[in-house]
Amino acid sequence: MHQALTTETTVHPGLHPREVAEVLEQFLQEGRISALMWEVCQPPAQAGSPELQEALLNKIVCLPDHVSNKLQGKNPPVFFPQNYFPLLGGAIIQVLQKISDSLRGGLDCSISFVSHVLGKVCVHGRQKEILSVLVPRLTDLTKSDCIWQRICWRLVECVPDRWMEAVVLGFVQRAPGADTLSRLLGNLVVKNKKAQFVVTQKVLLLQYCHTTAVLQNLLGYLSLDSLRRALLIKVLQELLETWGSSSAVKHSPPEQQQYISKAILICLSHLKEPEIESCRQELLTSMMEGVKCHLDSNLPQIRRLGMIVAESISSKINTDGPVLKFQYEEDDEARQLKSLLKADAALPLVLESNKKSRTAAPVMPDEESDAELDSDDDLIPYDMSEDKELKTKAPVYIRDCIEVLTGSEDLDKWEATVKALESLVRKNPAATREVSVELAKILLHLEEKTCIEGFVELRQRAQVAVLTTDPIPVAKYLTSQFYSLNYSLRQRMDILDILVLAAQELSYPKSHGKTKHSGAQKPCIQLLPGSDSSKDWRRIVDERIKSKTRRFAMGQSQVELASGPNEFNSVAGHFFFPLIQHFDRPLTTFDLLGEDHFVLGRLVHTLAILMYLAVNTVAVTAMGKALLEFVWALRFHTDSYVRQGLLSCVSSVLLGVPAERLLEDMTEELLETQSWLGDVVEKDPDGDCRRLALQNLLLMENLKKKLQTLPS
């Protein structure tokens, strides 16, 4: 038997490799490979030469490769990996069956060689082929047979450490459930340090490619035995430590943070009341630290992950008292995450709620119900059919609006003024210019007095109208206020939004009443990261990069826009330069380079859009040079949203500044930026940052080619 497997590497001069392959094919089809492995498992063979066992191991595992090498790839189908390794899996089951029979008969034998075969096959990347046979068969054989369970446990325990990871991962990925995995692996993670490291560290904290089902298998496996539950608690503590680390939240990709969040929720679903009681304070501390880190993030999906996990922890540690509750969008992803916490209890809860709903109706006795119904019979409804709603008339002069907004106690008049202000400003530009800065100041500080639907949008539209009507003085006021003391972060972000929306409107040619442009009716650029409008702007830039055109479209027009001068041309510098000058000067209540990185991210994206809208303006080259210097100063920022904004700034410079000006006036800055972009593509943990950096490198390459083709 041994000779049969070694013949193909030392072919007799009189034998053709094809003939040897035919012998080996017959050897396999007759099931002799299981007989060979069984022979090695016998005590006499175990006492034999280790070198011989190692040679046999290599031949068995690498047989398809050896045959393919000898036959130059023209090997018979039985030696194709997709055929050979399932056949080998079946042979392993036959050997294990013989081991089972021997143990029942009181005879000694070793499983070590079979474990080595399994380990080496898995580490060679053939887990799928061999375990597709082994896992279903072992699942059936271990259901009610303790000897088969012990054989299976020994099979994985005897795998050498260097191959243990591949075997454990293979079983975890292919077991149909946690209870099956528990039968197949036993307490392997308690007995084997390598397996413990793979299960409790590598799969959960160092990788994030595995499916939710794998996480449920793994953590469910840890929860199913008292010896392993200690590891479950330890895993939860380490996951919460990572989840609550501000450094991890800043530097880990969103996909990994979602993966860790899922693992935490699954762990929580397996905790029992005594375990929760023993670590309640620790859970509370972790929750408070973690939710702060996540709410500080500029990425909406990270903030929402923090909210969901914090709510889940709170519901576990405060079963009788008040629990945390946040407001966020309840989409499929959020529901899927929450279901992980209640996976085991989902069906009973539904049944219980149905039961309650069926018994909830007959709570009130019939007599009491009748009394309730009869109690209002004597009341005659008042006829209000002729009543008309009294409408408060809005002011017709700008100065009257200022008086109402600053001093009037008439809430109806105040509300009417807020609703009418944008239209009034646009109809009376001359009157608006007389009081533009005063009006801009009032609107910046305006708070909602009554519950007006769409108040924030109404205020923003009015602010944009004032700024577009009198751009230079109002822009000077707003940009100076952005860095002033005693403003909330909301007001600073309002300023950025207003500047962008006004710049967008000014950069469009006037329609002279012929075109109803959607941007003039409803502002559609918002700088909230992750919002639909932010994605719209990024999509527009992407399309521009692809087409290399000078068009910028936000929303659809009902008819083709009339051509005309770009009014942003003469005022672009007033919007841009004051914002970029003082970003590194911390104030008492405002530190862009410190804790207020959320506003910094918004500022960076604002500068990118202003730069983009300044195409073909007089100041565009000076703006581009200043913006590249700004990007260079912040290029190593730890927040991914800020880095995305910086890369968008580079895109705007490359698209907005004429190519010849870029290469003549900014050669050094471009070379430095190109080097940084290369590092981002290779090393940045954020996928969007890597994509934007690659996009910019392609833009640079296209600019070079364009200049090379121009006539000198």
Side-chain angles (χ1 to χ4, degrees):
M1 291 182 189
H2 303 171
Q3 187 64 30
L5 277 180
T6 55
T7 311
E8 94 281 0
T9 53
T10 57
V11 177
H12 190 277
L15 289 175
H16 191 275
R18 174 66 61 184
E19 295 175 308
V20 177
E22 289 173 359
V23 173
L24 285 171
E25 184 176 4
Q26 184 180 359
F27 179 83
L28 291 177
Q29 289 174 341
E30 291 178 359
R32 304 305 298 164
I33 197 159
S34 64
L36 173 60
M37 288 192 289
W38 170 240
E39 185 177 323
V40 181
C41 292
Q42 303 303 304
Q46 287 295 307
S49 165
E51 291 79 10
L52 176 61
Q53 288 193 25
E54 187 65 29
L56 282 172
L57 177 64
N58 286 329
K59 296 303 178 188
I60 290 172
V61 174
C62 303
L63 188 58
D65 296 332
H66 292 319
V67 173
S68 183
N69 287 339
K70 288 295 179 182
L71 300 182
Q72 300 298 306
K74 299 176 182 178
N75 38 323
V78 72
F79 295 109
F80 293 169
Q82 63 267 34
N83 297 328
Y84 175 76
F85 289 106
L87 185 147
L88 184 58
I92 288 176
I93 291 292
Q94 292 174 16
V95 175
L96 295 178
Q97 182 65 61
K98 291 180 179 178
I99 291 174
S100 171
D101 295 340
S102 295
L103 291 176
R104 294 174 203 275
L107 300 175
D108 286 339
C109 56
S110 171
I111 203 172
S112 175
F113 184 73
V114 183
S115 299
H116 282 62
V117 171
L118 174 61
K120 190 153 188 170
V121 169
C122 288
V123 88
H124 281 202
R126 295 296 173 183
Q127 299 110 312
K128 180 181 177 182
E129 289 85 353
I130 197 164
L131 292 178
S132 64
V133 174
L134 282 180
V135 170
R137 291 289 293 121
L138 290 173
T139 299
D140 289 337
L141 291 165
T142 56
K143 273 182 182 174
S144 57
D145 193 322
C146 61
I147 291 181
W148 264 107
Q149 287 183 13
R150 291 177 64 83
I151 289 171
C152 195
W153 299 346
R154 287 296 295 164
L155 175 68
V156 289
E157 287 169 12
C158 291
V159 172
D161 280 354
R162 62 186 182 277
W163 301 329
M164 182 62 77
E165 179 179 344
V167 173
V168 170
L169 270 180
F171 273 92
V172 171
Q173 289 168 338
R174 282 161 187 83
D179 55 341
T180 301
L181 189 63
S182 183
R183 290 205 313 271
L184 297 180
L185 298 185
N187 281 331
L188 176 68
V189 290
V190 178
K191 299 176 183 177
N192 186 285
K193 291 295 181 185
K194 178 69 175 182
Q196 186 178 121
F197 171 75
V198 171
V199 168
T200 64
Q201 297 287 319
K202 193 160 189 178
V203 174
L204 296 173
L205 297 171
L206 304 179
Q207 299 174 342
Y208 55 95
C209 56
H210 302 292
T211 64
T212 305
V214 167
L215 286 175
Q216 288 173 317
N217 267 1
L218 197 66
L219 296 167
Y221 160 72
L222 292 180
S223 73
L224 288 174
D225 185 271
S226 57
L227 291 174
R228 301 196 295 263
R229 287 195 72 85
L231 291 176
L232 180 71
I233 304 298
K234 181 184 174 187
V235 160
L236 177 59
Q237 290 169 340
E238 291 176 349
L239 285 168
L240 286 171
E241 185 178 334
T242 303
W243 179 76
S245 164
S246 59
S247 177
V249 171
K250 285 180 182 176
H251 297 101
S252 302
E255 297 81 5
Q256 184 172 16
Q257 296 185 54
Q258 185 183 50
Y259 183 83
I260 286 173
S261 298
K262 286 181 179 179
I264 290 171
L265 295 176
I266 295 168
C267 281
L268 289 171
S269 74
H270 291 297
L271 285 189
K272 297 177 180 176
E273 188 57 41
E275 293 165 334
I276 295 172
E277 192 60 43
S278 66
C279 59
R280 189 182 302 275
Q281 189 56 47
E282 190 175 345
L283 284 171
L284 181 61
T285 304
S286 299
M287 179 187 75
M288 299 305 293
E289 291 175 354
V291 78
K292 181 182 183 301
C293 296
H294 284 75
L295 293 180
D296 282 346
S297 172
N298 290 332
L299 302 176
Q301 65 265 42
I302 302 302
R303 293 200 296 274
R304 188 172 67 165
L305 275 177
M307 294 176 196
I308 292 172
V309 174
E311 281 183 356
S312 302
I313 297 172
S314 175
S315 69
K316 276 288 181 180
I317 61 179
N318 297 315
T319 50
D320 299 326
V323 296
L324 273 180
K325 189 66 183 172
F326 296 94
Q327 289 185 339
Y328 50 82
E329 184 184 355
E330 281 276 1
D331 58 7
D332 290 340
E333 182 183 317
R335 284 188 285 272
Q336 183 197 20
L337 283 169
K338 289 183 174 183
S339 72
L340 297 176
L341 186 69
K342 304 174 183 176
D344 296 333
L347 186 59
L349 281 174
V350 171
L351 294 174
E352 187 179 344
S353 64
N354 289 342
K355 184 178 177 182
K356 286 180 181 176
S357 65
R358 285 195 296 270
T359 58
V363 170
M364 192 186 299
D366 290 343
E367 298 154 7
E368 187 179 343
S369 177
D370 291 340
E372 281 282 320
L373 290 171
D374 292 341
S375 61
D376 293 334
D377 281 355
D378 295 333
L379 296 177
I380 300 171
Y382 186 77
D383 183 9
M384 301 178 67
S385 58
E386 299 298 321
D387 282 17
K388 293 182 180 178
E389 184 181 354
L390 295 174
K391 291 188 177 180
T392 304
K393 193 173 181 180
V396 292
Y397 298 108
I398 297 292
R399 290 188 182 276
D400 290 345
C401 291
I402 291 176
E403 185 179 333
V404 170
L405 293 176
T406 54
S408 175
E409 296 298 324
D410 186 337
L411 296 181
D412 291 333
K413 198 168 186 179
W414 184 90
E415 183 175 332
T417 302
V418 171
K419 289 180 178 178
L421 187 56
E422 180 203 6
S423 174
L424 202 58
V425 166
R426 293 190 186 279
K427 289 175 183 175
N428 300 277
T432 299
R433 290 188 189 101
E434 292 177 7
V435 292
S436 58
V437 174
E438 183 183 357
L439 189 53
K441 181 177 181 180
I442 291 167
L443 289 170
L444 186 60
H445 292 84
L446 190 66
E447 296 293 340
E448 190 171 6
K449 286 186 177 180
T450 65
C451 186
I452 306 178
E453 184 179 355
F455 168 76
V456 173
E457 188 179 354
L458 289 168
R459 182 181 60 191
Q460 188 183 70
R461 286 183 181 183
Q463 289 171 303
V464 171
V466 173
L467 179 51
T468 55
T469 301
D470 198 12
I472 293 177
V474 177
K476 184 178 179 181
Y477 167 74
L478 290 174
T479 52
S480 68
Q481 298 309 294
F482 181 76
Y483 289 107
S484 295
L485 292 169
N486 302 324
Y487 279 95
S488 68
L489 298 185
R490 193 271 301 164
Q491 287 171 310
R492 297 182 202 277
M493 290 188 285
D494 280 351
I495 290 171
L496 297 177
D497 287 351
I498 297 158
L499 290 168
V500 165
L501 291 163
Q504 176 200 356
E505 186 175 322
L506 290 169
S507 67
Y508 282 113
K510 293 296 182 185
S511 59
H512 304 294
K514 296 179 182 178
T515 305
K516 181 183 177 185
H517 192 272
S518 62
Q521 300 303 313
K522 181 180 180 181
C524 53
I525 292 182
Q526 291 292 335
L527 296 180
L528 284 169
S531 69
D532 292 338
S533 45
S534 178
K535 291 175 185 174
D536 286 344
W537 181 80
R538 183 70 59 77
R539 174 181 54 76
I540 288 159
V541 175
D542 287 345
E543 289 172 0
R544 166 76 185 284
I545 288 169
K546 290 176 184 175
S547 63
K548 304 295 187 297
T549 64
R550 297 295 186 187
R551 291 191 298 271
F552 183 78
M554 295 294 287
Q556 293 183 342
S557 304
Q558 293 176 347
V559 296
E560 187 175 345
L561 283 172
S563 60
N566 180 344
E567 294 185 15
F568 190 54
N569 192 330
S570 59
V571 299
H574 296 279
F575 282 59
F576 181 86
F577 288 110
L579 286 179
I580 208 170
Q581 286 173 350
H582 306 302
F583 73 93
D584 55 351
R585 299 182 189 176
L587 303 173
T588 309
T589 58
F590 183 47
D591 183 7
L592 276 180
L593 299 185
E595 292 184 356
D596 296 317
H597 53 81
F598 180 63
V599 186
L600 176 63
R602 297 283 292 274
L603 170 63
V604 174
H605 281 81
T606 299
L607 293 171
I609 299 175
L610 293 176
M611 181 74 224
Y612 184 87
L613 294 172
V615 62
N616 295 330
T617 62
V618 175
V620 70
T621 303
M623 289 170 65
K625 191 174 180 69
L627 192 54
L628 285 182
E629 292 173 357
F630 171 81
V631 168
W632 188 252
L634 292 174
R635 67 192 185 282
F636 296 127
H637 201 281
T638 57
D639 189 277
S640 60
Y641 179 61
V642 173
R643 296 198 305 278
Q644 288 171 20
L646 295 172
L647 291 160
S648 295
C649 286
V650 175
S651 298
S652 295
V653 172
L654 295 174
L655 291 169
V657 180
E660 58 275 10
R661 295 272 64 82
L662 275 172
L663 294 178
E664 287 179 17
D665 299 347
M666 304 175 215
T667 309
E668 186 177 344
E669 289 89 343
L670 279 180
L671 290 173
E672 290 174 337
T673 303
Q674 188 174 30
S675 173
W676 169 60
L677 291 172
D679 287 341
V680 173
V681 169
E682 291 181 7
K683 301 173 185 175
D684 200 291
D686 183 78
D688 283 339
C689 287
R690 295 194 299 272
R691 180 185 65 80
L692 286 167
L694 182 60
Q695 188 172 268
N696 285 331
L697 287 173
L698 293 173
L699 267 178
M700 286 184 168
E701 195 62 35
N702 289 340
L703 285 172
K704 288 180 186 176
K705 289 177 182 176
K706 178 182 175 183
L707 285 177
Q708 288 168 359
T709 58
L710 290 175
S712 56

